[in-house]
Amino acid sequence: MTADAFLFWFLAITTIAGGITVVSVANPIYAALSLAFTMVSVAAVFVTLEAYFVAGVQLIVYAGAVMVLFVMVLMLFDLKHELEAFARGKVSGAIKLLTAGLLGGLLIGAIAYSPEGSKIAVGANQVAVAGDPTKNLGYRLFTQHIFAFEALGVLLLVIAVGAVALSRSKGGTHGQR
Amino acid sequence: MSQTALISLLLASPFIGFLINGFRRKHHSGNVAGAIASVAVFISFLCSIALWIELQGLPKDARSILVNFGSWISVGGLNVNFGFLVDQLSSLMILIITGVGFLIHLFSIGYMHHDPGVAKYFAYLNFFIFNMLVLVLGDSLVTLFVGWEGVGLASYLLIGFWFTDKDKASAGMKAFITNRIGDAAFLIGMFIFFTSFGTLNIQELNALAPTIAESTWYGIITLGTLFLFIGATGKSAQIPLYVWLPDAMAGPTPVSALIHAATMVTAGVYMIVRMNPLFLAAPNTMLVIAVIGALTVIIAASIGIVQNDIKKVLAYSTVSQLGYMFLACGVGAFTAAFFHLMTHAFFKALMFLGSGSVIHAMHEEQDIRKMGGLKKYLPWTHLTFMIGWLAIIGTPGFSGFFSKDEILWLSWHSPLGHWSLWGLGVLGATMTAFYMTRLMALTFWGESRVPKSTHPHESSPIMLIPLFVLAALSVVGGYVGIPHVIGAILPGHPENILANWLGPIIRPIPGITEAEASTEWTLMGISVGLALISSLTAYTLYTKKQELVRAMTEKIRPVYELVYKKYLVDEFYFGFIINPLVRISENIWAYIDVRFIDKCTFWAGDLIKGGGSFVRSLQNGNLQQYAMYIGLGLVLTLTFVMMR
Amino acid sequence: MDSVSSEGLSLITNVGLNHYLVLSTALFCLGLIGVLLRRNAIVMLMSIELMLNAVNISFIAFGKYNNNIDGQIMVFFVMTIAAAEAAVGLALAVSIFKRFKEVNIRFFEHLRG
């Protein structure tokens, strides 16, 4: 077993474990922490796929900012008890599991039977992208996709304004006064 | 005027009259409505004369005018046009229809003057004339059937004209329904002919008729003509579908004159004469026609002897005379049948109008036991009625003599005839003489039994003029058909004009031989003699010896009752056919319609409602279920895509 | 027997595009289950984030194995938008909590037909 293979399998296990934990624990704080763990694991997967910049961004933005936001909001709520963490109804629950399972099964089947996936380019091809991948990324982003990039900026501005506007409603988050 | 224009005007004129009077139906002026209607029919009459003159100009073997207004049905192998054929036969027929029709319209102006629905009446009369013309002129059995149905409808409307009286309305229904049964048979006949010959065009059918007669009972032509004949029994009131005609006397008297004497009831005879090559190829059908005709003559005449309503006597007389026409057709004497149709139209319409005049004078009294001695109050009516009477009993020199004798002679002499048919015919003639003389005696002669309060007075001129014209025609109308044997002894040797005119389109009776003049004279003498004796007997009995009549009636009381009740035929139909059908229909309604079909409709409604409730429950506000549906949809789509 | 085991072995030792795609699919389905089964609104949002991460993995994997930088660019955009969406979603959740004192979605079936 090569190092790549071992790394992949290890990271796959941790990612999946983290994901399962997110979905199955009742306490939302535990779920948030577990999600952060999954994000880190996914960043590591990005590293094995040689998307170094994206891995960095994943850590900074997702694990760093988004998850902090989640945890902060959860703290705000101060939920002492969690009534009914999971949806009621055994039959509908079973159908939901079945749906997700079928979807997964179909996709995996499609993956298994397509010719695309027989690309096992490992190692040798990794420097096929000429030059530094991060430099390339930056180059492409600021020339070919400049419009979308700028639009993203506008979007973020709008989001900021919107978030502020939404939180201006009356009422506090801790008890009645 | 071109031929197309003539035929168009001929047909359009009564139809436009119908529309005008129809839209004006709430107006009460009888004179205006009557004038419009009469003018419309008179225009048609002039067109008929013009067309007849046109036909004279054509050579003898191509004497027909066919006008085609375009294709009507062109489906599969069936090609029916809006085509109208004026040939030797139909030209005479339209002359009769429009001529007699015009006279009856004139009479109606006087007769229906005080009726509130007079505009509607004239609209219906014009509608009838239009349909009768379509029937007669149609070049295809389908067009003929359109007119056939139309006159049936007009007859229903006119019989039940005073529909607020339940009995009169029922009479109308009876006529229509009985006609319908005949029409169903007519349709089956048309189907048979279409499937075997592939066409329903009359000229083509006649051309395709084989010259060798079929001998079996189940041959195509025999079956087809048999069904057509059953249709004719409905329209022309023969056994077994004659029951509507006496009840049809509930309608206004001019209607009885026009429809139930002169024109509509002759449609069956006309149809058979038209299709004579087909009928000649089916001798078994001809036998049935002849036998039914002869039996109808006798049975109707017997019922007519004991009737007390003046119109009912004339109604049964019509049924009986129609029997003669069918007897003639059955033995192959188509020309004689048509001849009798023509003369009968004259004298029967005359007598019906005369009875209308009597009824009008007697202030709607129709029972002849309450009449008598009307000769001195209604001289002109009496004179014209007498001419009609002389014609119908077959007095030599009058029209009825020539036509009836022709029929009797050929029922003996034709290879398709038989002496028994002749015997029945002579018996019928005797009975005809008897009951017609009885009618005359009880109505016009003898002592008056008219109640003192009724002051009978002669009718107005507008009602008398048609009587005079028809009386004249009843006298001279016979001379167009002078039989050969009489023509031979008269100075100038007049020929049988009618036979010559109709010759090209009527096939001769197969196997007919040259006759001995002496046989014909003998038979003529017998029938005339018997008629004379029977009228004298009736005259004596009913003017001078009424007590004898009463005594004789008492002696044969049960027989009298049976005949008076029309042999209980109506009761039989009601008991064995109509009431069971009604009972079955009621049961079907109760069990199948209410319990089953209605349940099905409710079930369908419930299904929809249930489906709706189920779908509504899917939208329960549960976000996760919505997400599940999205997921399921995605799974299905992927499955579908991957399956391909 | 040998070929099966060698095939199976190669499946473990030779990690290719398929493996990353299967990982991505599994993570996606886990996120989907979380969306369908959890009742806390915040946890649902977290599950959605999980799904987005799974998609990111598959983009990067395709990008690498097709020698195309476009995969990474796509992930760049997805990440930005996902963050923005999380921010707004959480702001909404805060508003709801302020109003209803609850974020358990079983109380919010106002869309019932």
Side-chain angles (χ1 to χ4, degrees), chain B residues 122-168:
Chain B
F122 278 109
Y124 290 156
L125 270 189
N126 270 11
F127 180 69
F128 168 80
I129 297 278
F130 169 72
N131 277 301
M132 193 69 203
L133 290 171
V134 167
L135 191 161
V136 165
L137 291 174
D139 74 332
S140 152
L141 277 180
V142 181
T143 324
L144 187 150
F145 192 64
V146 170
W148 188 276
E149 295 279 305
V151 297
L153 172 65
S155 168
Y156 161 74
L157 290 169
L158 284 164
I159 293 173
F161 185 67
W162 293 305
F163 56 85
T164 43
D165 182 334
K166 189 161 180 294
D167 288 333
K168 294 192 165 66

CSV table of all heavy atoms in Angstrom, one decimal, chain B residues 122-168:
chain,number,residue,atom,x,y,z
B,122,PHE,N,-100.9,26.8,-41.0
B,122,PHE,CA,-100.5,26.9,-42.4
B,122,PHE,C,-99.0,26.7,-42.6
B,122,PHE,O,-98.5,26.2,-43.6
B,122,PHE,CB,-100.9,28.3,-43.0
B,122,PHE,CG,-102.3,28.4,-43.4
B,122,PHE,CD1,-103.2,29.1,-42.7
B,122,PHE,CD2,-102.7,27.7,-44.5
B,122,PHE,CE1,-104.5,29.1,-43.1
B,122,PHE,CE2,-104.0,27.7,-44.9
B,122,PHE,CZ,-104.9,28.4,-44.2
B,123,ALA,N,-98.2,27.0,-41.6
B,123,ALA,CA,-96.8,26.7,-41.6
B,123,ALA,C,-96.6,25.2,-41.7
B,123,ALA,O,-95.8,24.7,-42.5
B,123,ALA,CB,-96.1,27.3,-40.4
B,124,TYR,N,-97.3,24.5,-40.9
B,124,TYR,CA,-97.2,23.0,-40.9
B,124,TYR,C,-97.6,22.5,-42.2
B,124,TYR,O,-97.0,21.6,-42.8
B,124,TYR,CB,-98.0,22.4,-39.8
B,124,TYR,CG,-97.5,22.6,-38.4
B,124,TYR,CD1,-98.4,22.5,-37.3
B,124,TYR,CD2,-96.2,22.9,-38.1
B,124,TYR,CE1,-97.9,22.7,-36.0
B,124,TYR,CE2,-95.7,23.1,-36.9
B,124,TYR,CZ,-96.6,23.0,-35.8
B,124,TYR,OH,-96.2,23.1,-34.5
B,125,LEU,N,-98.7,23.0,-42.8
B,125,LEU,CA,-99.1,22.5,-44.1
B,125,LEU,C,-98.1,22.7,-45.2
B,125,LEU,O,-97.8,21.8,-46.0
B,125,LEU,CB,-100.4,23.2,-44.5
B,125,LEU,CG,-101.8,22.6,-44.1
B,125,LEU,CD1,-102.9,23.4,-44.8
B,125,LEU,CD2,-101.9,21.2,-44.4
B,126,ASN,N,-97.5,23.9,-45.2
B,126,ASN,CA,-96.4,24.2,-46.2
B,126,ASN,C,-95.2,23.2,-45.9
B,126,ASN,O,-94.6,22.7,-46.9
B,126,ASN,CB,-96.0,25.6,-46.1
B,126,ASN,CG,-96.8,26.5,-47.1
B,126,ASN,OD1,-97.8,26.0,-47.6
B,126,ASN,ND2,-96.4,27.7,-47.3
B,127,PHE,N,-94.9,23.0,-44.7
B,127,PHE,CA,-93.8,22.1,-44.4
B,127,PHE,C,-94.1,20.7,-44.9
B,127,PHE,O,-93.2,20.1,-45.4
B,127,PHE,CB,-93.6,22.1,-42.8
B,127,PHE,CG,-92.5,21.2,-42.4
B,127,PHE,CD1,-91.2,21.6,-42.6
B,127,PHE,CD2,-92.8,20.1,-41.6
B,127,PHE,CE1,-90.2,20.8,-42.2
B,127,PHE,CE2,-91.8,19.3,-41.2
B,127,PHE,CZ,-90.5,19.6,-41.4
B,128,PHE,N,-95.4,20.4,-44.8
B,128,PHE,CA,-95.7,19.0,-45.3
B,128,PHE,C,-95.6,19.0,-46.8
B,128,PHE,O,-95.0,18.0,-47.3
B,128,PHE,CB,-97.2,18.7,-44.9
B,128,PHE,CG,-97.7,17.5,-45.6
B,128,PHE,CD1,-97.4,16.3,-45.2
B,128,PHE,CD2,-98.5,17.7,-46.8
B,128,PHE,CE1,-97.8,15.1,-45.9
B,128,PHE,CE2,-98.9,16.6,-47.5
B,128,PHE,CZ,-98.6,15.3,-47.0
B,129,ILE,N,-96.0,20.0,-47.5
B,129,ILE,CA,-95.9,20.0,-48.9
B,129,ILE,C,-94.5,19.9,-49.3
B,129,ILE,O,-94.1,19.1,-50.2
B,129,ILE,CB,-96.6,21.3,-49.5
B,129,ILE,CG1,-98.1,21.3,-49.2
B,129,ILE,CG2,-96.3,21.3,-51.0
B,129,ILE,CD1,-98.9,20.5,-50.1
B,130,PHE,N,-93.6,20.7,-48.7
B,130,PHE,CA,-92.2,20.6,-49.0
B,130,PHE,C,-91.7,19.2,-48.9
B,130,PHE,O,-91.0,18.7,-49.7
B,130,PHE,CB,-91.5,21.6,-48.1
B,130,PHE,CG,-90.0,21.5,-48.2
B,130,PHE,CD1,-89.3,21.9,-49.3
B,130,PHE,CD2,-89.3,20.9,-47.1
B,130,PHE,CE1,-87.9,21.8,-49.4
B,130,PHE,CE2,-87.9,20.8,-47.2
B,130,PHE,CZ,-87.2,21.2,-48.3
B,131,ASN,N,-92.0,18.6,-47.7
B,131,ASN,CA,-91.4,17.2,-47.5
B,131,ASN,C,-92.0,16.2,-48.5
B,131,ASN,O,-91.3,15.3,-48.9
B,131,ASN,CB,-91.7,16.8,-46.1
B,131,ASN,CG,-90.7,17.4,-45.1
B,131,ASN,OD1,-89.5,17.1,-45.3
B,131,ASN,ND2,-91.1,18.1,-44.2
B,132,MET,N,-93.2,16.4,-48.8
B,132,MET,CA,-93.8,15.4,-49.7
B,132,MET,C,-93.1,15.6,-51.1
B,132,MET,O,-92.9,14.6,-51.8
B,132,MET,CB,-95.3,15.7,-49.9
B,132,MET,CG,-96.1,14.6,-50.5
B,132,MET,SD,-96.1,13.1,-49.6
B,132,MET,CE,-96.4,11.9,-50.8
B,133,LEU,N,-92.9,16.8,-51.5
B,133,LEU,CA,-92.2,17.0,-52.7
B,133,LEU,C,-90.8,16.4,-52.7
B,133,LEU,O,-90.3,15.8,-53.7
B,133,LEU,CB,-92.1,18.5,-53.1
B,133,LEU,CG,-93.4,19.2,-53.4
B,133,LEU,CD1,-93.3,20.7,-53.5
B,133,LEU,CD2,-93.9,18.6,-54.7
B,134,VAL,N,-90.1,16.6,-51.6
B,134,VAL,CA,-88.8,15.9,-51.5
B,134,VAL,C,-88.9,14.4,-51.6
B,134,VAL,O,-88.1,13.8,-52.3
B,134,VAL,CB,-88.1,16.3,-50.1
B,134,VAL,CG1,-86.9,15.5,-49.9
B,134,VAL,CG2,-87.7,17.8,-50.1
B,135,LEU,N,-89.9,13.9,-50.9
B,135,LEU,CA,-90.1,12.4,-51.0
B,135,LEU,C,-90.2,12.0,-52.4
B,135,LEU,O,-89.6,11.0,-52.9
B,135,LEU,CB,-91.3,12.1,-50.2
B,135,LEU,CG,-91.6,10.6,-49.8
B,135,LEU,CD1,-92.5,10.5,-48.7
B,135,LEU,CD2,-92.2,9.8,-51.0
B,136,VAL,N,-91.1,12.7,-53.1
B,136,VAL,CA,-91.5,12.2,-54.5
B,136,VAL,C,-90.3,12.5,-55.5
B,136,VAL,O,-90.1,11.7,-56.4
B,136,VAL,CB,-92.7,13.0,-54.9
B,136,VAL,CG1,-92.9,12.9,-56.4
B,136,VAL,CG2,-93.9,12.4,-54.2
B,137,LEU,N,-89.6,13.6,-55.3
B,137,LEU,CA,-88.6,13.9,-56.3
B,137,LEU,C,-87.2,13.4,-56.0
B,137,LEU,O,-86.3,13.4,-56.8
B,137,LEU,CB,-88.5,15.5,-56.4
B,137,LEU,CG,-89.6,16.2,-57.0
B,137,LEU,CD1,-89.4,17.7,-56.9
B,137,LEU,CD2,-89.8,15.8,-58.4
B,138,GLY,N,-87.0,12.8,-54.8
B,138,GLY,CA,-85.7,12.3,-54.5
B,138,GLY,C,-85.2,11.3,-55.4
B,138,GLY,O,-85.9,10.4,-55.8
B,139,ASP,N,-83.9,11.5,-55.8
B,139,ASP,CA,-83.4,10.5,-56.8
B,139,ASP,C,-82.7,9.4,-56.1
B,139,ASP,O,-82.2,8.4,-56.7
B,139,ASP,CB,-82.4,11.2,-57.7
B,139,ASP,CG,-81.1,11.5,-57.0
B,139,ASP,OD1,-81.0,11.7,-55.8
B,139,ASP,OD2,-80.0,11.5,-57.7
B,140,SER,N,-82.7,9.4,-54.8
B,140,SER,CA,-82.0,8.3,-54.0
B,140,SER,C,-83.0,7.9,-52.9
B,140,SER,O,-83.8,8.7,-52.4
B,140,SER,CB,-80.7,8.8,-53.5
B,140,SER,OG,-80.4,8.1,-52.3
B,141,LEU,N,-82.9,6.7,-52.5
B,141,LEU,CA,-83.7,6.2,-51.4
B,141,LEU,C,-83.5,7.0,-50.1
B,141,LEU,O,-84.4,7.2,-49.3
B,141,LEU,CB,-83.5,4.7,-51.1
B,141,LEU,CG,-84.2,3.7,-52.0
B,141,LEU,CD1,-83.8,2.3,-51.6
B,141,LEU,CD2,-85.7,3.9,-51.9
B,142,VAL,N,-82.3,7.5,-50.0
B,142,VAL,CA,-82.0,8.3,-48.8
B,142,VAL,C,-82.8,9.6,-48.8
B,142,VAL,O,-83.4,10.0,-47.8
B,142,VAL,CB,-80.5,8.6,-48.7
B,142,VAL,CG1,-80.2,9.3,-47.4
B,142,VAL,CG2,-79.7,7.3,-48.7
B,143,THR,N,-82.7,10.3,-49.9
B,143,THR,CA,-83.5,11.6,-50.1
B,143,THR,C,-85.0,11.3,-49.9
B,143,THR,O,-85.7,12.0,-49.2
B,143,THR,CB,-83.3,12.2,-51.4
B,143,THR,OG1,-81.9,12.0,-51.8
B,143,THR,CG2,-83.6,13.7,-51.4
B,144,LEU,N,-85.4,10.2,-50.5
B,144,LEU,CA,-86.8,9.8,-50.3
B,144,LEU,C,-87.2,9.6,-48.9
B,144,LEU,O,-88.2,10.0,-48.4
B,144,LEU,CB,-87.1,8.5,-51.1
B,144,LEU,CG,-88.5,8.0,-51.3
B,144,LEU,CD1,-88.7,7.2,-52.6
B,144,LEU,CD2,-88.9,7.1,-50.1
B,145,PHE,N,-86.2,9.0,-48.2
B,145,PHE,CA,-86.5,8.7,-46.7
B,145,PHE,C,-86.5,10.0,-45.9
B,145,PHE,O,-87.2,10.1,-45.0
B,145,PHE,CB,-85.4,7.8,-46.2
B,145,PHE,CG,-85.7,7.2,-44.9
B,145,PHE,CD1,-86.8,6.4,-44.6
B,145,PHE,CD2,-84.8,7.5,-43.8
B,145,PHE,CE1,-87.0,5.9,-43.4
B,145,PHE,CE2,-85.1,7.0,-42.5
B,145,PHE,CZ,-86.2,6.2,-42.3
B,146,VAL,N,-85.7,11.0,-46.4
B,146,VAL,CA,-85.8,12.3,-45.7
B,146,VAL,C,-87.2,12.9,-45.8
B,146,VAL,O,-87.8,13.3,-44.8
B,146,VAL,CB,-84.7,13.3,-46.3
B,146,VAL,CG1,-85.0,14.7,-45.7
B,146,VAL,CG2,-83.3,12.8,-46.0
B,147,GLY,N,-87.7,12.8,-47.0
B,147,GLY,CA,-89.1,13.3,-47.2
B,147,GLY,C,-90.1,12.4,-46.4
B,147,GLY,O,-91.0,12.9,-45.8
B,148,TRP,N,-89.8,11.2,-46.4
B,148,TRP,CA,-90.7,10.2,-45.7
B,148,TRP,C,-90.8,10.6,-44.2
B,148,TRP,O,-91.9,10.6,-43.7
B,148,TRP,CB,-90.0,8.8,-45.9
B,148,TRP,CG,-90.7,7.6,-45.5
B,148,TRP,CD1,-90.7,7.1,-44.2
B,148,TRP,CD2,-91.4,6.7,-46.3
B,148,TRP,NE1,-91.4,5.9,-44.3
B,148,TRP,CE2,-91.8,5.6,-45.5
B,148,TRP,CE3,-91.7,6.6,-47.7
B,148,TRP,CZ2,-92.6,4.5,-46.0
B,148,TRP,CZ3,-92.4,5.6,-48.2
B,148,TRP,CH2,-92.9,4.5,-47.3
B,149,GLU,N,-89.6,10.8,-43.6
B,149,GLU,CA,-89.6,11.2,-42.2
B,149,GLU,C,-90.3,12.5,-42.0
B,149,GLU,O,-91.0,12.8,-41.1
B,149,GLU,CB,-88.2,11.2,-41.7
B,149,GLU,CG,-87.5,9.9,-41.7
B,149,GLU,CD,-87.8,9.1,-40.5
B,149,GLU,OE1,-87.7,9.6,-39.4
B,149,GLU,OE2,-88.3,8.0,-40.7
B,150,GLY,N,-90.0,13.4,-43.0
B,150,GLY,CA,-90.5,14.8,-42.8
B,150,GLY,C,-92.1,14.8,-42.9
B,150,GLY,O,-92.7,15.5,-42.1
B,151,VAL,N,-92.6,14.0,-43.8
B,151,VAL,CA,-94.1,14.0,-43.8
B,151,VAL,C,-94.6,13.3,-42.6
B,151,VAL,O,-95.7,13.7,-42.1
B,151,VAL,CB,-94.7,13.4,-45.1
B,151,VAL,CG1,-94.2,14.2,-46.3
B,151,VAL,CG2,-94.3,11.9,-45.2
B,152,GLY,N,-93.9,12.4,-42.0
B,152,GLY,CA,-94.3,11.8,-40.8
B,152,GLY,C,-94.4,12.8,-39.7
B,152,GLY,O,-95.3,12.9,-38.8
B,153,LEU,N,-93.3,13.6,-39.6
B,153,LEU,CA,-93.3,14.7,-38.6
B,153,LEU,C,-94.4,15.7,-38.8
B,153,LEU,O,-95.1,16.0,-37.9
B,153,LEU,CB,-91.9,15.4,-38.7
B,153,LEU,CG,-91.8,16.7,-37.8
B,153,LEU,CD1,-91.9,16.3,-36.4
B,153,LEU,CD2,-90.5,17.4,-38.1
B,154,ALA,N,-94.6,16.1,-40.1
B,154,ALA,CA,-95.7,17.0,-40.3
B,154,ALA,C,-97.1,16.4,-39.9
B,154,ALA,O,-97.9,17.1,-39.4
B,154,ALA,CB,-95.7,17.4,-41.8
B,155,SER,N,-97.2,15.2,-40.2
B,155,SER,CA,-98.4,14.5,-39.9
B,155,SER,C,-98.7,14.5,-38.4
B,155,SER,O,-99.7,14.8,-37.9
B,155,SER,CB,-98.4,13.0,-40.4
B,155,SER,OG,-99.4,12.3,-39.8
B,156,TYR,N,-97.6,14.2,-37.6
B,156,TYR,CA,-97.7,14.2,-36.1
B,156,TYR,C,-98.1,15.6,-35.7
B,156,TYR,O,-99.0,15.8,-34.8
B,156,TYR,CB,-96.4,13.8,-35.5
B,156,TYR,CG,-96.1,14.2,-34.1
B,156,TYR,CD1,-96.8,13.6,-33.1
B,156,TYR,CD2,-95.3,15.2,-33.8
B,156,TYR,CE1,-96.6,13.9,-31.8
B,156,TYR,CE2,-95.1,15.6,-32.5
B,156,TYR,CZ,-95.8,15.0,-31.5
B,156,TYR,OH,-95.6,15.3,-30.2
B,157,LEU,N,-97.4,16.6,-36.2
B,157,LEU,CA,-97.7,18.0,-35.8
B,157,LEU,C,-99.2,18.4,-36.1
B,157,LEU,O,-99.8,19.1,-35.3
B,157,LEU,CB,-96.8,19.0,-36.5
B,157,LEU,CG,-95.3,18.9,-36.0
B,157,LEU,CD1,-94.4,19.7,-36.9
B,157,LEU,CD2,-95.2,19.4,-34.6
B,158,LEU,N,-99.6,17.9,-37.3
B,158,LEU,CA,-101.0,18.4,-37.7
B,158,LEU,C,-102.1,17.6,-37.0
B,158,LEU,O,-103.1,18.1,-36.7
B,158,LEU,CB,-101.1,18.3,-39.2
B,158,LEU,CG,-100.4,19.5,-39.9
B,158,LEU,CD1,-100.1,19.2,-41.3
B,158,LEU,CD2,-101.1,20.8,-39.7
B,159,ILE,N,-101.8,16.3,-36.8
B,159,ILE,CA,-102.8,15.5,-36.1
B,159,ILE,C,-103.0,16.0,-34.7
B,159,ILE,O,-104.1,16.2,-34.2
B,159,ILE,CB,-102.4,14.0,-36.1
B,159,ILE,CG1,-102.4,13.4,-37.5
B,159,ILE,CG2,-103.4,13.2,-35.2
B,159,ILE,CD1,-101.9,12.0,-37.5
B,160,GLY,N,-101.9,16.2,-34.0
B,160,GLY,CA,-102.0,16.7,-32.6
B,160,GLY,C,-102.1,18.2,-32.6
B,160,GLY,O,-101.5,18.8,-31.7
B,161,PHE,N,-102.7,18.8,-33.6
B,161,PHE,CA,-102.6,20.3,-33.7
B,161,PHE,C,-103.3,20.9,-32.5
B,161,PHE,O,-102.8,21.9,-31.9
B,161,PHE,CB,-103.3,20.7,-35.0
B,161,PHE,CG,-103.2,22.2,-35.2
B,161,PHE,CD1,-102.0,22.8,-35.5
B,161,PHE,CD2,-104.4,23.0,-35.2
B,161,PHE,CE1,-101.9,24.1,-35.7
B,161,PHE,CE2,-104.3,24.3,-35.4
B,161,PHE,CZ,-103.0,24.9,-35.6
B,162,TRP,N,-104.5,20.3,-32.1
B,162,TRP,CA,-105.1,20.8,-30.9
B,162,TRP,C,-104.6,20.0,-29.7
B,162,TRP,O,-105.3,19.2,-29.1
B,162,TRP,CB,-106.6,20.7,-31.0
B,162,TRP,CG,-107.2,21.6,-32.1
B,162,TRP,CD1,-107.0,23.0,-32.1
B,162,TRP,CD2,-108.0,21.3,-33.2
B,162,TRP,NE1,-107.7,23.5,-33.3
B,162,TRP,CE2,-108.3,22.5,-33.9
B,162,TRP,CE3,-108.5,20.1,-33.7
B,162,TRP,CZ2,-109.0,22.5,-35.1
B,162,TRP,CZ3,-109.2,20.1,-34.8
B,162,TRP,CH2,-109.5,21.3,-35.5
B,163,PHE,N,-103.4,20.3,-29.4
B,163,PHE,CA,-102.7,19.3,-28.5
B,163,PHE,C,-103.1,19.5,-27.0
B,163,PHE,O,-102.7,18.7,-26.2
B,163,PHE,CB,-101.2,19.5,-28.6
B,163,PHE,CG,-100.7,20.9,-28.3
B,163,PHE,CD1,-100.5,21.4,-27.0
B,163,PHE,CD2,-100.5,21.8,-29.3
B,163,PHE,CE1,-100.0,22.7,-26.8
B,163,PHE,CE2,-100.0,23.1,-29.1
B,163,PHE,CZ,-99.8,23.5,-27.8
B,164,THR,N,-103.9,20.5,-26.7
B,164,THR,CA,-104.3,20.7,-25.3
B,164,THR,C,-105.3,19.6,-25.0
B,164,THR,O,-105.5,19.3,-23.8
B,164,THR,CB,-104.9,22.1,-25.1
B,164,THR,OG1,-105.8,22.3,-26.2
B,164,THR,CG2,-103.8,23.1,-25.0
B,165,ASP,N,-105.9,19.0,-26.0
B,165,ASP,CA,-106.8,17.9,-25.7
B,165,ASP,C,-105.9,16.6,-25.7
B,165,ASP,O,-105.3,16.3,-26.7
B,165,ASP,CB,-107.9,17.8,-26.8
B,165,ASP,CG,-108.8,16.6,-26.6
B,165,ASP,OD1,-108.5,15.6,-26.0
B,165,ASP,OD2,-110.0,16.7,-27.1
B,166,LYS,N,-105.9,15.9,-24.6
B,166,LYS,CA,-105.0,14.8,-24.4
B,166,LYS,C,-105.2,13.7,-25.5
B,166,LYS,O,-104.3,13.1,-26.0
B,166,LYS,CB,-105.2,14.2,-23.0
B,166,LYS,CG,-104.1,13.2,-22.6
B,166,LYS,CD,-104.0,13.1,-21.1
B,166,LYS,CE,-103.0,12.1,-20.7
B,166,LYS,NZ,-103.2,10.7,-21.2
B,167,ASP,N,-106.5,13.4,-25.8
B,167,ASP,CA,-106.8,12.4,-26.8
B,167,ASP,C,-106.2,12.7,-28.1
B,167,ASP,O,-105.6,11.9,-28.8
B,167,ASP,CB,-108.3,12.1,-26.9
B,167,ASP,CG,-108.8,11.5,-25.6
B,167,ASP,OD1,-108.0,10.8,-25.0
B,167,ASP,OD2,-110.0,11.6,-25.4
B,168,LYS,N,-106.3,14.0,-28.5
B,168,LYS,CA,-105.8,14.4,-29.8
B,168,LYS,C,-104.3,14.3,-29.8
B,168,LYS,O,-103.7,13.9,-30.8
B,168,LYS,CB,-106.3,15.8,-30.1
B,168,LYS,CG,-107.8,15.9,-30.3
B,168,LYS,CD,-108.2,17.2,-30.9
B,168,LYS,CE,-109.6,17.3,-31.4
B,168,LYS,NZ,-110.6,17.1,-30.4
